[in-house]
Amino acid sequence: MARPDKAAAVAELTEQFRGSSAVLLTEYRGLSVAQLKGLRRSLAGNASYAVVKNTLTAIAAKEAGFDSIEDELSGPTAIAFVTGEPVEAARSLRDFARANPELVLKGGVLEGNKLSGEDVTRLADLESREVLLGRTAGALKAALFQAAYVFTAPATKAARTAEALREKQAADA
């Protein structure tokens, strides 16, 4: 790797690895340039999609601490460097792969954990971050409402009992 152009490519890939929240690997054999352009467009905002040389990628991945993807670097490989939401990027890749069976999800790395192709598909099936946060907030609100009801129930029951007793005494007198 004495050539400066290869050293620059490795340095650029290393920076992309370090700047990514997740890395998703695909095999793009059989896809046309127009299809790859459409895939890049669908990933825009969440990830950048790059066709890479396996040997240079292996070196860059090792330098960036992504050693676990070396096994997946065989055949024509392209990488989605996720800078946005990993779920959205995985969903875009999964949907594109459904429409274009030539695209194969090979795996990836999310927060230091190696993912298989099936893991990427499961990641794509997750709800978006906003939906999950909304559900969590709703569950917390329901729990707080239930706790407030439990704490006020004895006082309310005591007040009703006292009122019923007062009405009974007034009726007896």
Side-chain angles (χ1 to χ4, degrees):
M1 194 186 76
R3 291 186 20 200
D5 56 335
K6 288 185 179 182
V10 168
E12 182 181 340
L13 283 171
T14 303
E15 285 306 310
Q16 284 184 313
F17 274 113
R18 289 185 180 143
S20 301
S21 58
V23 174
L24 304 173
L25 299 161
T26 63
E27 183 176 318
Y28 64 93
R29 187 184 324 237
L31 292 175
S32 68
V33 173
Q35 289 172 318
L36 286 173
K37 188 176 181 181
L39 176 57
R40 284 187 177 99
R41 226 178 290 122
S42 72
L43 288 169
N46 286 321
S48 62
Y49 191 72
V51 175
V52 293
K53 285 189 164 277
N54 291 337
T55 53
L56 299 180
T57 303
I59 295 167
K62 187 174 274 190
E63 287 180 13
F66 285 78
D67 300 348
S68 59
I69 67 168
E70 271 189 70
D71 301 340
E72 304 292 334
L73 295 174
S74 61
T77 303
I79 300 178
F81 294 100
V82 181
T83 54
E85 283 294 317
V87 173
E88 293 298 322
R91 188 173 294 132
S92 294
L93 286 171
R94 181 206 54 202
D95 293 345
F96 188 86
R98 282 183 181 164
N100 302 283
E102 297 89 6
L103 184 76
V104 177
L105 301 174
K106 293 170 86 173
V109 176
L110 174 64
E111 295 179 0
N113 299 319
K114 184 177 180 181
L115 302 174
S116 67
E118 295 83 31
D119 293 336
V120 173
T121 304
R122 281 197 297 267
L123 179 66
D125 292 336
L126 286 176
E127 296 288 341
S128 70
R129 184 173 189 266
E130 290 77 21
V131 171
L132 292 175
L133 288 174
R135 286 185 181 177
T136 303
L140 290 173
K141 181 179 176 185
L144 290 173
F145 179 77
Q146 187 177 17
Y149 178 76
V150 166
F151 290 131
T152 59
T156 304
K157 188 174 182 182
R160 284 191 207 135
T161 305
E163 182 63 25
L165 183 60
R166 191 176 60 80
E167 287 176 5
K168 184 178 179 189
Q169 288 175 347
D172 288 343

